[in-house]
Amino acid sequence: MLHVDPIFAATSAPPPFTVGAVLTETRLDSWLALGLVLAAGLYLYGVHRLRVRGDRWPIARTVFFIGPGLGGIALVTVSGLHAYDTALLSVHMIQHMVLSMVAPIFLALGAPMTLALRTLPVGPRKRLLAIVHSRVARVYSFPLVAFAIFVVNPFVLYFSDLYRYTLEHAWAHELVHAHFIMTGCVFFWPLLGLDPLPGRWPYPARALLMLLSVPFHTVLGLTIMQSSTLFGGDWYPSLNLGWVDPWQDQVVAGGILWAGGEFVSVTMLAVLVVQWVKQSEREARRVDRELDRQEARERAADATAA
């Protein structure tokens, strides 16, 4: 099997992009693959510990975290797509979308922090809580700060020499993958996550921030599609891939970012609305129970007075 390392991409090009090539170019020797296996193992072990002691953990959370969460990351970094992420800008944009938007949403819906707090011993649990409530965590999880990081980072990456550098150096390219994941988690965890986080905004404010994020990928995607220069400079033409036109691929990449960004944004807004409705229903039931208890106390007091 052919594995393309970014640092040697100019002299060792991947075969034509096909479904068969994506299936056969899977790479399991990266540090990210090891991290995914470790994360899945720890999560499943936590679920197992809860079940052993008779506690319940929603199956949906496990499916979200392991499936589209960790599985989504594996799909674009461990599968054969990895062999093309420095040869096709369109493939890189698919990675961008999945790593920064799709996977973080489902990781947040998996509530791993809640699972850890319910299964860790007292000492580690206190240390985790101290980290969650630390000043650094409060700053980075503050929605406006997370929003600024989420919006600004792609423009800094693609409209500077930094993107070309990541194409030329494998370690920098892998670091960008990790950065996409962390940026997405910082943005989506306070908005959609089920874990207890300090300073979480009410649902109307979260929905407003979601709406403000919708045009972001549209602007970025259209800018890429209409750009008169190639991203990465002469990197893609230097690969001499006879089966793809770098200019056309860049247009496709911008379209992926545009259409994919709008789809994911609308989807996450729908998820937020569902959470909002469920929270409102829970609050209504809580108020009803309190009113029932108050009415019962009043009847008891009236009966005693009579």
Side-chain angles (χ1 to χ4, degrees):
M1 291 190 299
L2 174 65
H3 301 299
V4 180
D5 192 51
I7 200 170
F8 297 119
T11 58
S12 180
F17 185 81
T18 63
V19 175
V22 171
L23 295 176
T24 58
E25 295 296 314
T26 299
R27 189 188 74 166
L28 299 175
D29 58 348
S30 69
W31 62 269
L32 192 53
L34 178 62
L36 292 173
V37 172
L38 181 61
L42 290 174
Y43 191 95
L44 292 175
Y45 177 69
V47 174
H48 171 72
R49 286 196 58 185
L50 284 181
R51 290 182 177 177
V52 167
R53 72 187 192 196
D55 291 338
R56 179 182 174 273
W57 183 255
I59 296 177
R61 294 185 183 182
T62 304
V63 173
F64 286 150
F65 188 85
I66 302 296
L70 297 180
I73 296 173
L75 179 65
V76 297
T77 60
V78 177
S79 75
L81 284 176
H82 178 84
Y84 296 89
D85 63 357
T86 58
L88 296 173
L89 181 62
S90 57
V91 170
H92 171 79
M93 287 305 173
I94 293 174
Q95 289 182 320
H96 178 145
M97 293 299 304
V98 173
L99 296 179
S100 65
M101 295 190 73
V102 178
I105 291 174
F106 289 101
L107 293 177
L109 294 176
M113 193 179 302
T114 300
L115 179 62
L117 291 174
R118 291 181 60 182
T119 55
L120 286 173
V122 176
R125 185 188 309 140
K126 289 183 177 179
R127 287 192 289 271
L128 178 59
L129 283 173
I131 294 173
V132 171
H133 293 279
S134 66
R135 180 173 298 179
V136 173
R138 287 177 178 272
V139 170
Y140 279 98
S141 64
F142 184 68
L144 287 180
V145 174
F147 177 79
I149 295 173
F150 184 75
V151 169
V152 171
N153 276 351
F155 286 94
V156 173
L157 173 64
Y158 297 125
F159 295 96
S160 69
D161 294 332
L162 181 60
Y163 181 63
R164 174 62 182 259
Y165 186 86
T166 65
L167 293 173
E168 295 173 339
H169 300 83
W171 67 268
H173 200 73
E174 296 289 340
L175 189 61
V176 166
H177 289 166
H179 181 70
F180 280 155
I181 297 171
M182 289 188 291
T183 300
C185 287
V186 166
F187 179 62
F188 289 110
W189 225 286
L191 298 182
L192 296 172
L194 305 178
D195 289 319
L197 294 175
R200 175 165 281 171
W201 280 8
Y203 278 103
R206 285 190 251 172
L208 176 60
L209 197 61
M210 287 264 190
L211 288 174
L212 293 176
S213 71
V214 172
F216 154 62
H217 280 99
T218 301
V219 172
L220 182 59
L222 289 175
T223 303
I224 293 174
M225 294 176 70
Q226 299 171 359
S227 176
S228 59
T229 59
L230 282 175
F231 285 71
D234 63 349
W235 173 266
Y236 294 110
S238 71
L239 300 180
N240 296 316
L241 301 178
W243 44 270
V244 64
D245 176 12
W247 286 100
Q248 185 60 37
D249 184 62
Q250 181 162 300
V251 173
V252 173
I256 290 172
L257 203 56
W258 175 16
E262 289 197 354
F263 174 77
V264 175
S265 297
V266 172
T267 302
M268 69 183 185
L269 186 59
V271 171
L272 183 64
V273 170
V274 171
Q275 291 182 344
W276 188 356
V277 170
K278 289 184 176 180
Q279 192 271 343
S280 299
E281 291 175 347
R282 288 194 297 268
E283 180 64 18
R285 288 194 295 269
R286 185 193 67 80
V287 171
D288 288 342
R289 288 194 297 269
E290 179 60 30
L291 290 175
D292 289 341
R293 286 193 293 267
Q294 182 177 350
E295 185 178 349
R297 287 194 296 268
E298 291 175 353
R299 285 199 301 265
D302 291 341
T304 302

